[in-house]
């Protein structure tokens, strides 16, 4: 616990996506556990949906509700990306951009030493500077992804030398070392809309560029043990301090769900499976396979013969009309082999179960961290955004294996799904991935190591906090 003269006040303002808010909340809890005051800013409904923090930080971690205005195109009660199909997220950004004035008033009243902000809130840095508050751009994307984006000016001005999707399939010119980390053509095609203007008038790349330009320093979800070379690239191209905050492994608290009927029935099925035999399949709260992809995935799982536990999200928000369906007869045929869960499922508890051996994942970094914390081998199937870069880093370091796909359209077959699962889960050839998952758990799940990253960043925050004028 910090003594009273040594405490700082940090405000945190993540993007309105649970894939962002959850790791941000982990970092907030780590700061708060050391006695520092944290003001966690989000919308009312999002705050109500976040897990309650443990009792030991309840006096130092405070939630601040910032209501969103209603805007045309945004359904009522939609306050996070999980509530919306992908094409409606642009309206969430419009609503967020309209809270600049109320946000400035909230920030002025809180008067923190530092504000951590996310990629969408490009206007936060300048507002903080006007109020004499230091700012940090905190990226939940790994260092390789932020480095791949490049320096701010081309992002802001739109004059990046990379104009065509294929330009992103090779490492950028500011990377001086040999690497295979770059997008596959199909990944960049699924992500390329972030360079195009949406209804908000400010595309994602410009938002990133403005955030990176206006902050006092950059914090990134990374660690020297995994990405030393990419952290160095970031410091070189941004010419400002870059701090890895560690991998932010989730702390599993005694959750109410452990006693819920839903978890009891899941656990009962998992308990009946052999140790290290089941493949867990889940693609996060937002990635949704196409109907063609879903069909091949399902038939590939069936063909593999492996027991599986599949958490399947068939729609994104209540306004998503593009429903996807399992192949006819699939659930009946695989009744003895696996389970398909289309409702809530506690990922941490499933991954912690001894029957789970591997994780077929979209390569979202939170899922990667959770899997490696529990020593689960990784089979990768990317969909969009930073997932392609994450997958290349994992492949290059022999931490994960990607399902082979058509290089242009990203299609894959049931045979490639079945063969990939068997390779990573049971074959001698894939033993390296199972061994690597065990080896990586000491990096990704090490609480002491994580604590040192937090201590390191707190030293900087304390020594560089602004001098507050007496009121």
């Amino acid at each position: 616990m910090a003594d009273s003269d040594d405490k700082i006040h940090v405000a945190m303002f993540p993007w309105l996506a649970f894939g962002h808010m959850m790791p941000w909340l982990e970092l907030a809890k780590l700061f708060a556990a050391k006695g520092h005051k944290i003001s966690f800013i989000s919308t009312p409904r999002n705050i109500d949906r976040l897990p309650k923090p443990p009792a030991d930080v309840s006096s130092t971690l405070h939630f601040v509700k910032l209501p969103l205005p209603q805007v045309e195109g945004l359904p009522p009660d939609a306050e996070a990306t999980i509530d919306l199909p992908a094409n409606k997220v642009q309206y969430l950004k419009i609503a967020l951009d309209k809270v600049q004035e109320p946000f400035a008033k909230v920030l002025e009243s809180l008067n923190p030493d530092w504000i951590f902000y996310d990629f969408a809130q490009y206007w936060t840095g300048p507002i903080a500077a006007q109020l004499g508050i230091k700012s940090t751009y905190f990226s939940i994307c790994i260092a390789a992804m932020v480095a791949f984006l490049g320096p701010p000016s081309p992002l802001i001005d739109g004059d990046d030398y990379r104009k065509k999707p294929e330009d992103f399939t090779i490492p950028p010119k500011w990377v001086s070392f040999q690497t295979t980390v770059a997008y596959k053509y199909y990944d960049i095609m699924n992500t390329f809309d972030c360079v195009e203007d949406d209804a908000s008038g400010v595309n994602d790349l410009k938002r990133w560029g403005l955030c990176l330009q206006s902050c006092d320093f950059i914090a990134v979800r990374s660690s020297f043990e995994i990405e030393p070379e990419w952290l160095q690239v970031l410091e070189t191209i941004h010419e400002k301090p870059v701090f890895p905050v560690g991998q932010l492994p989730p702390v599993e608290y005694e959750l109410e769900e452990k006693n819920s009927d839903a978890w009891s029935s899941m656990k009962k099925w998992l308990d009946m499976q052999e140790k290290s035999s089941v493949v867990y399949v889940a693609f996060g709260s937002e990635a949704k396979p196409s109907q063609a992809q879903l069909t091949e995935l399902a038939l590939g799982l069936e063909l593999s013969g492996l027991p599986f536990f599949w958490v399947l999200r068939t729609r994104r928000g209540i306004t998503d009309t593009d429903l996807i369906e399992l192949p006819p007869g699939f659930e009946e045929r695989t009744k003895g082999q696996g389970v398909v869960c289309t409702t809530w499922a506690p990922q941490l508890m499933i991954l912690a179960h001894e029957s789970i051996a591997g994780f077929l994942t979209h390569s979202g970094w939170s899922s990667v961290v959770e899997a490696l914390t529990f020593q689960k081998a990784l089979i990768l199937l990317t969909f969009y955004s930073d997932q392609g870069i994450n997958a290349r880093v994992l492949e290059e370091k022999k931490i994960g294996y990607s399902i082979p796909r058509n290089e242009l359209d990203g299609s894959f077959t049931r045979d490639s799904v079945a063969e990939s699962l068997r390779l990573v889960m049971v074959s001698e050839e894939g033993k390296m991935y199972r061994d690597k998952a065990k080896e990586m758990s000491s990096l990704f799940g090490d609480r002491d190591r994580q604590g040192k990253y937090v201590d390191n960043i707190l030293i900087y925050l304390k020594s560089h906090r602004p001098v507050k004028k007496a009121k």
Side-chain angles (χ1 to χ4, degrees), residues 11 82 168 216 231 312 370 397:
I82 195 174
F168 292 83
D216 289 293
L231 287 162
L312 174 61
E370 289 169 8
K397 296 179 184 294

Side-chain angles (χ1 to χ4, degrees), residues 184-190 290 292-293 296 381-383 403-413 416-417:
K184 297 288 189 185
Y185 186 83
Y186 55 82
D187 274 325
I188 198 62
M189 287 307 293
N190 288 337
S290 67
Q293 290 174 329
E296 293 305 310
L381 186 70
T382 58
F383 290 89
I403 291 175
R405 301 167 75 167
N406 179 293
E407 289 283 327
L408 292 179
D409 65 12
S411 60
F412 52 88
T413 66
S416 65
V417 171

